[in-house]
Amino acid sequence: MSLTDADIALALRLADAAGEAIRPHFRSGVDSERKGDASPVTIADRSAEEAMRRILKAEVPQDTVIGEEFGTTPGTSGRSWVLDPIDGTCSFLVGRPIFGTLIALVVEGWPVLGVIDQPILGERWLGATGRPTTFNGQPVRTRPCRELSDATLATTGPQYFDDHEGAHFMSLAAKTDHKRMVMGGDCYNYGLLASGHLDLVCEAGLKLHDWAALVPVVEGAGGTMCDWNGDPLHAGSDGHVLALGDPARLEDVVEAMACHH
């Protein structure tokens, strides 16, 4: 089933609806609760996902919906809309506008459409299979990286790696321009990579709703996304995620991560 202009228009309307739900709560002193995995959630997360689900139920009731806050509503079409209303709730809670709403369309396990929307700054990346990635409507490209030692690396934070994963991450970091390494940013880092502002993102423990929207954005801008072994991401991937602006560095990155310990 091919991706249509109507699918893209629907994804953009979802992003608009989520942004309208989120903006009133930003820097408002909103309270958070702890979910089962101890991660925070707010009324903004829930109301944004509810707003998107209302639109999907009305317009594409045959499609599956998978959301971070309200789980899976099964469909019959073989298509799944994957929603993360606020990717980066910790940033949202402290008033940093580097969180984002993630919207993906996944067909038979593979992401074909992705939106990263930053509703405070009014910044939106759109990636769709077979089309160039755009940032606020204008095409963007990743940047070349001639040597791994020149690469600017980003990750959401060291607290998301266990000891074993952390050793692999630090092995990679040591071979990059680690004095310029960026911490924090969640999905926003992947938008910056697509726009050519940084070179590498490395994460662990991501769920489908954390990464599905990112793949079309990064790859449509000339980059690549894969797991820590260099294999393509799909619905069964284990949550170890790499994004590279320059696919020519993939072998270097995978080799750097294979630390011996």
Side-chain angles (χ1 to χ4, degrees), residues 5 46 54 66 79 86 111 132 144 152 156 177 184 228-230 237:
D5 289 342
R46 292 179 175 137
R54 280 194 294 271
I66 302 170
R79 294 158 37 109
I86 298 181
T152 299
T156 299
D177 188 357
W228 285 13
N229 297 315
S237 293

Side-chain angles (χ1 to χ4, degrees), residues 233-255:
L233 298 173
H234 55 86
S237 293
D238 67 0
H240 293 89
V241 171
L242 288 168
L244 295 88
D246 190 339
R249 298 281 73 76
L250 178 57
E251 196 173 313
D252 300 338
V253 170
V254 172
E255 185 181 328

Side-chain angles (χ1 to χ4, degrees), residues 24-244:
H25 299 290
F26 185 64
R27 295 182 181 167
S28 69
V30 65
D31 289 332
S32 68
E33 302 167 27
R34 294 284 176 173
K35 293 191 285 190
D37 63 358
S39 62
V41 62
T42 72
I43 187 174
D45 298 79
R46 292 179 175 137
S47 60
E49 186 170 319
E50 286 168 342
M52 291 190 283
R53 283 176 174 271
R54 280 194 294 271
I55 294 170
L56 291 169
K57 184 177 180 180
E59 298 196 23
V60 284
Q62 71 279 10
D63 291 352
T64 296
V65 181
I66 302 170
E68 181 178 19
E69 306 308 336
F70 297 104
T72 299
T73 302
T76 57
S77 66
R79 294 158 37 109
S80 300
W81 293 90
V82 181
L83 312 174
D84 190 344
I86 298 181
D87 182 71
T89 300
C90 293
S91 288
F92 172 83
L93 282 168
V94 298
R96 298 174 76 187
I98 53 172
F99 63 91
T101 297
L102 296 179
I103 299 159
L105 177 59
V106 176
V107 179
E108 295 174 355
W110 299 93
V112 298
L113 171 64
V115 175
I116 305 172
D117 188 73
Q118 212 309 308
I120 308 305
L121 301 175
E123 296 184 337
R124 180 177 294 174
W125 287 268
L126 170 67
T129 299
R131 309 184 190 210
T133 291
T134 59
F135 172 68
N136 288 356
Q138 298 300 310
V140 289
R141 295 291 293 176
T142 60
R143 68 187 184 190
C145 180
R146 298 177 69 88
E147 302 284 346
L148 188 55
S149 58
D150 296 333
T152 299
L153 170 66
T155 192
T156 299
Q159 69 271 33
Y160 297 105
F161 298 117
D162 63 26
D163 289 348
H164 180 78
E165 293 161 343
H168 286 282
F169 174 80
M170 291 308 296
S171 179
L172 172 62
K175 293 178 172 64
T176 66
D177 188 357
H178 55 271
K179 298 290 188 185
R180 295 173 62 187
M181 188 163 64
V182 179
M183 292 282 178
D186 298 276
C187 64
Y188 197 69
N189 289 331
Y190 298 81
L192 295 175
L193 181 140
S195 290
H197 301 303
L198 54 84
D199 304 297
L200 278 172
V201 187
C202 178
E203 312 259 33
L206 299 193
K207 298 181 174 70
L208 182 66
H209 59 253
D210 293 312
W211 63 257
L214 309 175
V215 175
V217 170
V218 168
E219 296 190 343
T224 192
M225 284 187 66
C226 57
D227 66 17
W228 285 13
N229 297 315
D231 297 323
L233 298 173
H234 55 86
S237 293
D238 67 0
H240 293 89
V241 171
L242 288 168
L244 295 88

